Amino acid sequence: MASLDIPSASPTIATKTTTTAKTVSPEEFTEFTAYINDSQLNWTFQLPADRLRGCPKPFQVSYADFGFHCEDAATTIVRIVNAERQGIGKTDSVPAERLLKVWQEVIPALLNHLGTKHVSIGCNGGGAVISLDFAVHNPQFLHPS
């Protein structure tokens, strides 16, 4: 069988990425370490075990919570809660065939745990599927306006 070589309609652009290491001062390192160790970035929540749901052990999810545990929480306008996806950080892994089913339980349980009544959803990449699935199955959490 003969092959046909069809030129691309757009030119190929070659790029080269370079990385330069930066020396960090002790003050910058201390500031960076304090930021990474901030308690707002390191929360965990466990969905209890339930053999009837097919979950023989608790499911742990790690999340960051911004804008709530600040000095003046009464004036906080925006709160961002970012749950880490399965197998990332301290969040337990989930077999692919159970991914959406597990998150259908985890997200509402986490929001109830946090006392959150309504949300606006922001997502990207693989989180888009989970977020859209959440919106379809949990319209009670979507802001009424």
Side-chain angles (χ1 to χ4, degrees):
M1 176 183 270
S3 64
L4 183 59
D5 186 20
I6 301 173
S8 172
S10 61
T12 303
I13 300 173
T15 60
K16 181 180 178 186
T17 304
T18 58
T19 305
T20 305
K22 177 185 175 196
T23 303
V24 179
S25 71
E27 294 81 18
E28 290 173 314
F29 183 78
T30 300
E31 187 177 315
F32 174 75
T33 303
Y35 177 78
I36 291 298
N37 290 326
D38 187 327
S39 63
Q40 294 179 15
L41 298 175
N42 295 294
W43 292 93
T44 58
F45 168 75
Q46 286 196 348
L47 186 65
D50 185 344
R51 290 193 185 279
L52 297 176
R53 281 193 337 256
C55 299
K57 63 178 190 159
F59 180 82
Q60 180 171 285
V61 61
S62 56
Y63 64 97
D65 187 353
F66 301 95
F68 180 68
H69 303 280
C70 58
E71 292 177 18
D72 190 7
T75 62
T76 300
I77 297 171
V78 175
R79 180 181 186 185
I80 299 172
V81 176
N82 181 42
E84 293 183 316
R85 290 182 55 203
Q86 67 287 352
I88 305 295
K90 297 175 188 170
T91 299
D92 291 338
S93 295
V94 178
E97 64 274 5
R98 294 195 20 86
L99 175 69
L100 290 178
K101 188 68 177 163
V102 169
W103 284 99
Q104 286 171 3
E105 297 178 37
V106 169
I107 296 172
L110 175 60
L111 293 175
N112 286 329
H113 168 75
L114 296 173
T116 303
K117 293 180 182 179
H118 297 105
V119 298
S120 295
I121 300 172
C123 56
N124 68 323
V129 171
I130 295 168
S131 298
L132 291 172
D133 185 72
F134 166 77
V136 167
H137 289 94
N138 297 282
Q140 72 276 14
F141 281 104
L142 301 179
H143 200 280
S145 60

